[in-house]
């Protein structure tokens, strides 16, 4: 399986800055066939960057989109509009869940709309600090996974990527802590077990599962060697080109 390195730029970079970053990344990045490099710029930058990017080297992801295709939904962008512009879309990021009130029902509709429009959803799931403190991690992970995949048929499951992002480990969290590879291992096993119960062993083995939460070039190797982790989702470190490239290099080195 490929290793995925996804950079989530969140609400950062003007279109011009994003274009300069992409230009430099394209120049510096060797063509690593088995590392899938993905960047997720803001919606505004997607169209111009899609004309600039070399898709053999780098793929684009949206950070969010709406599940209706067209209509009276002021301010939204649909997966239908993103078709051909991006290959991936991050869905259910904790910032969407907790700052913008997205629930599993809405997230499930977005996952369905992404697949229908030939965009690979990267479904983010993860427990908050207090959920973890109350011993609710397993329940939250199962609920978010089952909830987010509710509208995905068995035959479409291979079009989905899951990202485990403990909310307490994301760098923007008030008192972010680093997840240990053992923490990640425990939850990734639970994710695969849940998928196996729902869709069978083969589906569970084949589903790419990523980890995200304060990933940087020094800890990337530790997370990537956790069995069953197929890649990383990086936020703040993806904003610094040299760090993002170093993470990609680590992925190349530790590839199984
Ligand atoms: C994220 O928000 O998806 C993320 C992984 O952020 P960071 O790497 O900054 O913790």
């Amino acid at each position: 399986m490929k290793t995925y390195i996804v950079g989530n730029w969140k609400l950062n970079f003007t279109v011009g800055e994003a274009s300069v970053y992409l230009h430099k990344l394209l120049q510096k990045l060797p063509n690593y066939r088995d590392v899938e490099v993905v960047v997720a710029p803001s919606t505004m930058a997607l169209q111009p960057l899609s004309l600039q990017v070399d898709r053999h080297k780098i793929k684009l992801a949206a950070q969010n989109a709406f599940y209706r295709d067209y209509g009276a939904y002021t301010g939204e962008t649909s997966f239908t509009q993103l078709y051909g512009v991006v290959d991936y879309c991050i869905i259910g990021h904790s910032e969407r869940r907790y700052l913008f009130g997205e629930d599993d029902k809405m997230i499930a509709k977005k996952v369905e709309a992404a697949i229908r429009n030939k965009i690979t959803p990267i479904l983010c799931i993860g427990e908050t600090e207090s959920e973890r403190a109350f011993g609710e991690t397993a329940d939250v992970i199962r609920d978010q996974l089952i909830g987010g995949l509710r509208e995905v048929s068995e035959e479409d499951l291979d079009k989905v990527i899951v990202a485990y992002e403990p909310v307490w480990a994301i760098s923007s969290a008030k008192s972010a802590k680093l997840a240990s590879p053992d923490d990640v291992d425990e939850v990734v096993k639970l994710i695969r077990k849940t998928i196996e119960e729902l869709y069978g062993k083969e589906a569970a083995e084949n589903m790419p599962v990523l980890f995200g939460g304060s990933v940087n070039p020094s800890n990337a190797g530790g997370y990537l060697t956790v069995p069953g982790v197929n890649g990383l989702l990086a936020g703040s470190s993806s904003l610094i080109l040299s760090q993002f490239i170093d993470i990609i290099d680590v992925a190349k080195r530790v590839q199984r």
Side-chain angles (χ1 to χ4, degrees), residues 8 10 93 95 165 169-172 212-215 233-237:
N8 176 10
K10 307 191 183 186
H93 189 278
E95 284 149 19
E165 295 213 304
I170 291 181
S171 66
S172 56
S214 302
V215 167
L233 185 44
S236 51
S237 62

Side-chain angles (χ1 to χ4, degrees), residues 1-243:
M1 196 186 293
K2 280 189 267 191
T3 302
Y4 295 82
I5 300 297
V6 184
N8 176 10
W9 293 353
K10 307 191 183 186
L11 185 50
N12 292 292
F13 297 151
T14 62
V15 175
E17 287 164 349
S19 171
V20 170
Y21 181 118
L22 184 65
H23 176 74
K24 290 184 183 162
L25 182 59
L26 283 165
Q27 268 186 336
K28 293 190 175 167
L29 200 64
N31 199 350
Y32 288 155
R33 251 191 299 154
D34 29 19
V35 181
E36 179 86 334
V37 178
V38 182
V39 291
S42 70
T43 307
M44 263 196 82
L46 289 173
Q47 171 70 15
L49 263 50
S50 75
L51 303 176
Q52 180 187 344
V53 79
D54 172 356
R55 284 189 184 197
H56 296 295
K57 277 182 146 184
I58 298 169
K59 303 280 198 314
L60 293 179
Q63 298 173 15
N64 176 41
F66 191 51
Y67 58 85
R68 298 274 190 222
D69 295 344
Y70 303 101
Y73 304 104
T74 302
E76 295 293 338
T77 304
S78 70
F79 290 96
T80 307
Q81 291 170 320
L82 289 171
Y83 171 77
V85 176
V86 299
D87 289 289
Y88 297 90
C89 183
I90 297 170
I91 298 178
H93 189 278
S94 56
E95 284 149 19
R96 299 298 318 168
R97 291 177 191 263
Y98 301 112
L99 300 177
F100 298 95
E102 291 193 13
D103 58 12
D104 287 327
K105 211 168 153 195
M106 173 174 280
I107 289 162
K109 288 181 182 169
K110 292 185 173 195
V111 170
E112 183 279 327
I115 294 172
R116 180 161 41 77
N117 287 285
K118 303 195 168 21
I119 292 169
T120 302
I122 303 173
L123 171 63
C124 297
I125 59 175
E127 79 286 4
T128 62
E129 188 171 15
S130 65
E131 286 163 346
R132 188 172 187 84
F134 284 110
E136 294 167 1
T137 302
D139 287 343
V140 171
I141 294 299
R142 288 178 70 91
D143 286 353
Q144 290 185 354
L145 193 58
I146 295 168
L149 296 176
R150 182 160 36 199
E151 309 215 9
V152 180
S153 66
E154 221 167 307
E155 68 195 45
D156 279 340
L157 192 75
D158 63 352
K159 303 185 178 95
V160 178
I161 295 175
V162 168
Y164 170 49
E165 295 213 304
V167 182
W168 49 271
I170 291 181
S171 66
S172 56
K174 262 199 197 114
S175 50
K177 294 184 203 75
L178 275 188
S180 71
D182 284 347
D183 295 330
V184 178
D185 184 43
E186 199 181 313
V187 176
V188 168
K189 280 197 180 111
L190 173 67
I191 291 171
R192 293 206 187 271
K193 187 166 162 265
T194 308
I195 296 294
E196 185 175 338
E197 285 162 13
L198 289 174
Y199 297 94
K201 201 170 164 55
E202 203 185 323
E205 281 169 2
N206 292 340
M207 166 171 276
V209 178
L210 318 186
F211 169 72
S214 302
V215 167
N216 61 42
S218 333
N219 62 27
Y223 294 130
L224 283 170
T225 43
V226 172
V229 169
N230 308 111
L232 301 170
L233 185 44
S236 51
S237 62
S238 76
L239 298 176
I240 302 161
L241 181 65
S242 59
Q243 290 203 13

